[in-house]
Amino acid sequence: MKRIIPLLLMLLLALPQAVAQRGLHIDQLFGSELRNRKGSTEVLVTGREAARYGLTLFRSLTFQASQKEMLWTESLVRADRAGATSMEEARRNARLYYGFYELKAQPEGKGRYLFYRNGQLEKGSAGKLTVIYMEGTATIDELKRRFSR
Amino acid sequence: MKRNKNAGNESSWDALVDRYFRAETTPREERRLRRFLSSPAGAARRYDAVRAVMGYVACGRSLSRRPAARRRNRPSAVAWRVAATVCLTAGIAASAGWGVYRRNNVCVAYVAGQKVTDPDIVTRCMKDAFRETVGPEAAPTMEGQLNGMFNLLDNP
């Protein structure tokens, strides 16, 4: 009895975490005070709900950024896109307008995607910055189809 | 004068004691002998041996009966410990399993800091974020691509 309880506690501590450490620079955005601002939305979906879109993880943050924050966010996205296997992006006024990046897949074969859009670069727009990180087996085209429903 | 039924001929009691030691007494005779040995008449020292043996036998009989009754009605301390360990293990495993399930099935949104767990609302926020990022207006335009190329030349 005296040996069983410590063993059980050790087993509990060894259980894997659901949201694994991905080591991306954009991780600094999620769970930060940015989500508490007026007009901000942060979404985290895993498991059953994410599986409907062929994903195991969906994480996004939409927020109104200051000039400094915009530059900082863009630098995070640039740092993470360095290892992308494919990308599609556009610039406006020397700034990154939008970017869709497929990052290096995980060892277990799951795809990883980083999407970015700077709505604040649109003329006359009170747009926002949106950063999305996704993991799953769906391709970008499949994701577009599923999210358009 | 009231006759003490436990008194009487000493030789008859001695004979009964002899028969007891030879295991020839009936249960009724043993009960008579036990009552005699408990009485003042049977307190003589020469009956100490038989009193000791009868007492020892009675004690042993009582002990052998009690564990069976206990086994019938009450589980042993070891059984209680095993049951407690099994329950504790099952409880910890169930809690851990539920915790892992909850951690692996997250559906939450923070709208201006307010936590929302309604799956319909969270899903809507998810779709909105995706569509705003990958909507038709985000599709590459000629202007955008040209700007991109020139910007790339200016800022390699």
Side-chain angles (χ1 to χ4, degrees):
Chain A
M1 183 75 166
K2 288 181 185 175
R3 290 176 195 168
I4 289 173
I5 292 177
L7 281 173
L8 288 172
L9 288 171
M10 281 165 61
L11 180 66
L12 275 174
L13 290 170
L15 285 172
Q17 297 293 321
V19 182
Q21 293 292 330
R22 292 176 295 281
L24 295 175
H25 294 83
I26 57 165
D27 284 346
Q28 298 173 63
L29 298 170
F30 302 120
S32 70
E33 57 86 23
L34 292 171
R35 73 182 184 193
N36 298 328
R37 289 186 189 172
K38 186 180 172 184
S40 293
T41 305
E42 181 175 328
V43 178
L44 172 59
V45 179
T46 66
R48 210 173 44 237
E49 292 296 329
R52 293 183 187 180
Y53 300 90
L55 297 171
T56 55
L57 169 69
F58 178 98
R59 198 153 198 192
S60 72
L61 176 65
T62 302
F63 66 105
Q64 193 81 36
S66 64
Q67 183 70 13
K68 191 178 172 185
E69 288 167 345
M70 183 179 75
L71 294 173
W72 174 61
T73 305
E74 190 178 311
S75 71
L76 297 177
V77 172
R78 284 177 187 271
D80 286 333
R81 72 141 196 218
T85 56
S86 70
M87 65 172 76
E88 179 188 335
E89 61 182 20
R91 299 189 190 199
R92 185 172 283 189
N93 302 330
R95 295 264 65 85
L96 184 61
Y97 177 33
Y98 67 80
F100 311 132
Y101 311 102
E102 182 172 355
L103 305 179
K104 198 174 171 184
Q106 290 179 322
E108 54 266 30
K110 269 190 247 173
R112 302 196 300 163
Y113 304 99
L114 170 59
F115 288 4
Y116 170 82
R117 183 175 177 188
N118 187 347
Q120 294 177 205
L121 293 176
E122 292 163 11
K123 282 182 189 173
S125 164
K128 300 173 188 174
L129 246 58
T130 303
V131 178
I132 302 177
Y133 175 75
M134 296 173 284
E135 290 178 1
T137 53
T139 62
I140 290 183
D141 287 337
E142 285 172 3
L143 288 170
K144 286 180 182 177
R145 269 201 304 277
R146 294 187 197 208
F147 276 97
S148 65
R149 291 181 199 159
Chain B
M1 190 170 107
K2 198 173 180 181
R3 188 184 170 143
N4 187 353
K5 61 181 175 181
N6 287 329
N9 199 343
E10 277 186 3
S11 60
S12 70
W13 289 113
D14 290 344
L16 189 56
V17 168
D18 282 340
R19 288 186 57 233
Y20 175 78
F21 279 125
R22 287 198 298 271
E24 290 174 0
T25 48
T26 64
R28 191 177 176 187
E29 287 173 330
E30 283 182 20
R31 284 196 292 273
R32 271 186 63 218
L33 181 58
R34 200 178 306 127
R35 282 198 295 275
F36 167 72
L37 293 172
S38 313
S39 70
R45 289 181 67 90
R46 70 172 199 274
Y47 296 124
D48 284 351
V50 66
R51 194 176 7 258
V53 170
M54 288 193 92
Y56 180 81
V57 169
C59 186
R61 195 176 296 138
S62 155
L63 282 173
S64 66
R65 235 185 273 129
R66 215 175 298 146
R70 196 191 307 142
R71 273 198 294 276
R72 264 201 309 276
N73 300 326
R74 294 172 55 194
S76 67
V78 172
W80 278 117
R81 279 196 216 112
V82 170
T85 304
V86 169
C87 288
L88 183 65
T89 307
I92 291 174
S95 299
W98 177 243
V100 170
Y101 174 80
R102 286 191 65 184
R103 282 202 300 273
N104 289 337
N105 284 276
V106 178
C107 185
V108 64
Y110 293 88
V111 181
Q114 292 294 316
K115 187 176 178 180
V116 176
T117 54
D118 185 329
D120 290 336
I121 297 175
V122 174
T123 305
R124 201 177 319 137
C125 291
M126 188 172 140
K127 286 182 179 177
D128 288 346
F130 190 92
R131 286 170 188 163
E132 280 168 14
T133 311
V134 194
E137 59 272 21
T141 61
M142 178 74 77
E143 181 192 349
Q145 286 178 314
L146 283 171
N147 279 340
M149 279 192 295
F150 287 127
N151 285 332
L152 197 58
L153 288 170
D154 293 340
N155 304 298

